[in-house]
Amino acid sequence: ETGVTQSPTHLIKTRGQQVTLRCSSQSGHNTVSWYQQALGQGPQFIFQYYREEENGRGNFPPRFSGLQFPNYSSELNVNALELDDSALYLCASSRERGREQYFGPGTRLTVT
Amino acid sequence: GQQLNQSPQSMFIQEGEDVSMNCTSSSIFNTWLWYKQDPGEGPVLLIALYKAGELTSNGRLTAQFGITRKDSFLNISASIPSDVGIYFCAGQPPYGGSQGNLIFGKGTKLSVKP
């Protein structure tokens, strides 16, 4: 059984640019959540997708957006990048909403 | 918003020692989860708890869902060097508001005693 995978592993962008991060959910999982983890902190919830619909959103501005595809993989898009967006972005999948979430290895985004 | 207080922030372990850490919240949760994160990697799920009072073990790890639904603890018995890392508690609030939201503590960093 393949776990959650994310791409790319690392990314360096310039302030003002846009970025797309990708996530493949674990086999049999229909729910994907995205988190931002700043250095030395716990992950912060960005949003969750269930069956291609947004199922909840944390305290992040609209320039953070996402998509879920019919195969349950997902994208996180961030527009107008700011220096504070530098963080580890984690994707997690679960079998159903409300069930335990399994995390991928993350994408390290650096904004200069 | 809801916050989790996780303690201790850090601790040093000697091989063979037992370790305890806990999380408390001002609000109730439906689910408590414990994760371990190694440097440069994503969190790995250790234990999931779904009912108040539930006590669950995973090898040398034991965790409990507090009876008030506002706290949880994790014990590691007979620690070994590979237990080093950062442990996070996470709680899932009752549905409503930001659905799907896992709220994380700030982590307990386990290091080896010099």
Side-chain angles (χ1 to χ4, degrees), chain A residues 9-70:
Chain A
T9 307
H10 296 90
L11 206 49
I12 300 175
K13 289 285 190 178
T14 303
R15 192 171 48 183
Q17 284 188 315
Q18 177 263 343
V19 70
T20 297
L21 310 181
R22 293 179 175 84
C23 169
S24 290
S25 60
Q26 191 167 318
S27 175
H29 289 191
N30 60 21
T31 304
V32 171
S33 305
W34 285 92
Y35 294 81
Q36 180 194 66
Q37 186 177 25
L39 215 55
Q41 301 294 317
Q44 297 285 317
F45 176 71
I46 303 175
F47 42 56
Q48 182 181 83
Y49 279 85
Y50 169 70
R51 296 187 182 232
E52 302 179 60
E53 299 279 335
E54 188 179 287
N55 183 54
R57 189 179 183 92
N59 191 24
F60 281 81
R63 59 190 185 83
F64 285 78
S65 63
L67 277 176
Q68 187 179 32
F69 300 99

Side-chain angles (χ1 to χ4, degrees), chain B residues 58-70:
Chain B
N58 178 9
R60 295 178 296 106
L61 277 58
T62 302
Q64 184 158 31
F65 191 144
I67 202 79
T68 64
R69 296 172 65 191
K70 293 183 180 181

Side-chain angles (χ1 to χ4, degrees), chain A residues 33 35 37 40-45 48 55-58 88 90 97-106, chain B residues 31 33 35 37 40-45 48 50 88 92 95 97-107:
Chain A
S33 305
Y35 294 81
Q37 186 177 25
Q41 301 294 317
Q44 297 285 317
F45 176 71
Q48 182 181 83
N55 183 54
R57 189 179 183 92
L88 181 67
L90 295 162
R97 293 174 297 176
R99 298 301 299 180
E100 61 271 17
Q101 298 183 18
Y102 295 87
F103 284 83
Chain B
T31 304
L33 303 165
Y35 291 89
Q37 187 174 28
E41 297 183 13
V44 174
L45 180 65
Y50 292 101
F88 288 100
Q92 177 138 26
Y95 270 111
S98 297
Q99 290 186 25
N101 185 9
L102 271 187
I103 298 173
F104 281 79
K106 292 189 175 180

Side-chain angles (χ1 to χ4, degrees), chain B residues 73-105:
Chain B
F73 71 74
L74 174 71
N75 287 341
I76 305 173
S77 63
S79 56
I80 59 178
S82 62
D83 290 334
V84 161
I86 302 178
Y87 291 78
F88 288 100
C89 62
Q92 177 138 26
Y95 270 111
S98 297
Q99 290 186 25
N101 185 9
L102 271 187
I103 298 173
F104 281 79

Side-chain angles (χ1 to χ4, degrees), chain B:
Chain B
Q2 289 173 303
Q3 293 193 2
L4 287 185
N5 298 309
Q6 185 171 352
S7 64
Q9 262 188 309
S10 63
M11 58 193 310
F12 289 90
I13 59 170
Q14 201 150 47
E15 190 169 350
E17 284 182 340
D18 295 345
V19 170
S20 285
M21 60 191 79
N22 68 80
C23 269
T24 59
S25 168
S26 56
S27 307
I28 62 171
F29 286 112
N30 278 355
T31 304
W32 282 97
L33 303 165
W34 286 92
Y35 291 89
K36 178 175 183 267
Q37 187 174 28
D38 291 327
E41 297 183 13
V44 174
L45 180 65
L46 300 173
I47 292 180
L49 302 157
Y50 292 101
K51 279 176 17 179
E54 181 181 353
L55 183 73
T56 297
S57 292
N58 178 9
R60 295 178 296 106
L61 277 58
T62 302
Q64 184 158 31
F65 191 144
I67 202 79
T68 64
R69 296 172 65 191
K70 293 183 180 181
D71 62 330
S72 177
F73 71 74
L74 174 71
N75 287 341
I76 305 173
S77 63
S79 56
I80 59 178
S82 62
D83 290 334
V84 161
I86 302 178
Y87 291 78
F88 288 100
C89 62
Q92 177 138 26
Y95 270 111
S98 297
Q99 290 186 25
N101 185 9
L102 271 187
I103 298 173
F104 281 79
K106 292 189 175 180
T108 294
K109 184 176 180 181
L110 244 56
S111 305
V112 175
K113 257 182 201 170

